[in-house]
Amino acid sequence: MAEKWTGKTDGTPFMQRALVKILRTLDVRCIYAVMVLWLPFYILFRPSATRVQYRYFRERQHFGVLKSMLFTWRNFYAFGEVIMDRFAAHAGKTFRFNIENRQLFYDQVTEERGFIVLSSHLGNFEMAGYELSTPLKKMNVVLYAGDTDVVMENRRRILAQHNIHLIPLQKDLSHVYAISNALSDGEIVAMPADRRIGDGKTIAVPVLGKDAKLPMGPFALAVTRNELVRVVFVMKEKWDTYNIYIKELPLATDGPVRERIADLAKRYADLLTEMALRYPTQLFNYYDFWSDETWL
């Protein structure tokens, strides 16, 4: 069994604050270079996560032994890059973005009604906030509340400048009311739909050829409220460039509610599979995503 994935960014608060200060003057590629040196030790002391990623490449991507070993290393390196990019963004650095199907997002921004954006832990969704934000409609980003104080403070500070509000997941479920109010006010709500948390209800759908249990909440919310849904993937292409893919996720109009929820989850899982095959090294779930265990 893999170790529990905490969802927290590595490093002490002092190290994280120092990194932001360093990146205000230093090119992020310098950090990439240093990362190559300590990455083998990082992998060595993460045996469970390393084993899970290796199995992902062998069993879900169907790579050979040597290719799976190589891609496991490349996956950890890619994860390090996107984490450094987040700190670079916190330090004020900018990146380039190419957007596919831009109109699927911005055509809805001018409408009175709000809409839902479903994200995942494939790629680097946080970077979307620096490009897709708009003064015309507030975006509310639902996220795990257990990251370090430094990371959460930097996110709030930078994203607030882009008309983005954070809604941390809370044990008392107060985030549910915040989400409902935001949609009722005609705002955007962005939330991950690939990682189950606590004892919430789940729905099993095939991802890369095997059933995975996704959280039912995001799909049930969209169906019961009849909300427009977009799926956004933010994938690293070059050291300073990200590709943003915006996908439409239509709702079924007929049938029982539970069947329509299952249909929406299946459509989402199909898109997740498509993008994971296209960007195999950028799936950053370091636990057995296909197990029956609850994470975070």
Side-chain angles (χ1 to χ4, degrees):
M1 182 185 72
E3 63 201 24
K4 284 289 185 182
W5 182 245
T6 65
K8 289 186 178 181
T9 304
D10 287 333
T12 66
F14 172 79
M15 292 169 58
Q16 293 172 354
R17 290 191 180 95
L19 185 58
V20 172
K21 292 180 180 179
I22 290 171
L23 284 170
R24 286 173 181 159
T25 56
L26 193 68
D27 192 306
V28 70
R29 285 175 291 182
C30 297
I31 305 298
Y32 293 167
V34 174
M35 194 168 62
V36 173
L37 301 177
W38 59 256
L39 187 58
F41 300 97
Y42 184 89
I43 293 175
L44 180 65
F45 289 101
R46 295 290 192 279
S48 295
T50 301
R51 183 166 54 252
V52 164
Q53 290 307 97
Y54 174 80
R55 287 180 56 197
Y56 157 64
F57 289 114
R58 282 288 284 147
E59 299 174 7
R60 305 273 61 84
Q61 293 285 353
H62 304 293
F63 292 166
V65 173
L66 292 180
K67 187 174 182 180
S68 295
M69 293 173 63
L70 173 62
F71 271 62
T72 297
W73 188 94
R74 288 180 58 184
N75 172 264
F76 276 97
Y77 182 78
F79 183 60
E81 281 191 328
V82 302
I83 293 297
M84 292 305 109
D85 289 351
R86 292 175 188 174
F87 280 106
H90 295 169
K93 297 294 178 68
T94 58
F95 293 81
R96 299 174 183 175
F97 297 91
N98 303 311
I99 304 179
E100 182 181 276
N101 296 326
R102 179 189 294 264
Q103 75 283 353
L104 287 178
F105 185 89
Y106 287 105
D107 285 355
Q108 300 306 319
V109 167
T110 57
E111 300 292 332
E112 288 188 10
R113 68 180 297 187
F115 62 98
I116 294 172
V117 172
L118 297 182
S119 65
S120 68
H121 293 84
L122 177 70
N124 194 5
F125 179 76
E126 183 174 326
M127 302 299 286
Y130 308 112
E131 183 64 19
L132 293 182
S133 61
T134 168
L136 299 177
K137 193 182 288 285
K138 180 187 289 185
M139 181 186 294
N140 301 270
V141 178
V142 181
L143 77 171
Y144 174 58
D147 212 330
T148 65
D149 290 341
V150 174
V151 172
M152 294 296 288
E153 289 169 7
N154 281 320
R155 281 173 176 160
R156 288 191 183 95
R157 175 176 56 84
I158 298 298
L159 293 176
Q161 300 171 15
H162 295 263
N163 198 26
I164 295 175
H165 173 68
L166 300 183
I167 302 180
L169 293 166
Q170 304 291 350
K171 292 183 178 179
D172 63 3
L173 300 181
S174 58
H175 60 275
V176 174
Y177 301 102
I179 292 170
S180 178
N181 290 337
L183 289 170
S184 296
D185 291 339
E187 298 173 355
I188 305 167
V189 172
M191 65 182 74
D194 67 330
R195 186 177 289 178
R196 57 195 182 276
I197 299 174
D199 298 322
K201 294 183 179 179
T202 61
I203 186 166
V205 290
V207 179
L208 289 167
K210 184 178 180 180
D211 277 359
K213 288 187 176 180
L214 303 184
M216 185 179 291
F219 309 107
L221 176 69
V223 169
T224 56
R225 292 182 59 104
N226 194 33
E227 299 286 354
L228 291 171
V229 181
R230 300 291 183 262
V231 181
V232 174
F233 299 101
V234 185
M235 313 307 297
K236 189 173 178 67
E237 192 67 26
K238 300 178 182 178
W239 76 269
D240 65 343
T241 305
Y242 280 85
N243 289 342
I244 299 179
Y245 299 92
I246 302 173
K247 309 286 187 178
E248 185 176 13
L249 205 63
L251 302 180
T253 56
D254 298 320
V257 170
R258 189 170 185 87
E259 289 183 7
R260 285 185 280 140
I261 291 172
D263 177 76
L264 190 65
K266 173 63 166 56
R267 293 172 186 261
Y268 170 84
D270 288 344
L271 292 177
L272 186 63
T273 295
E274 175 188 335
M275 295 304 295
L277 290 172
R278 189 169 177 178
Y279 293 91
T281 62
Q282 294 191 45
L283 182 62
F284 303 127
N285 275 323
Y286 291 100
Y287 60 90
D288 189 351
F289 180 69
W290 289 269
S291 75
D292 291 329
E293 294 184 68
T294 299
W295 300 89
L296 291 188

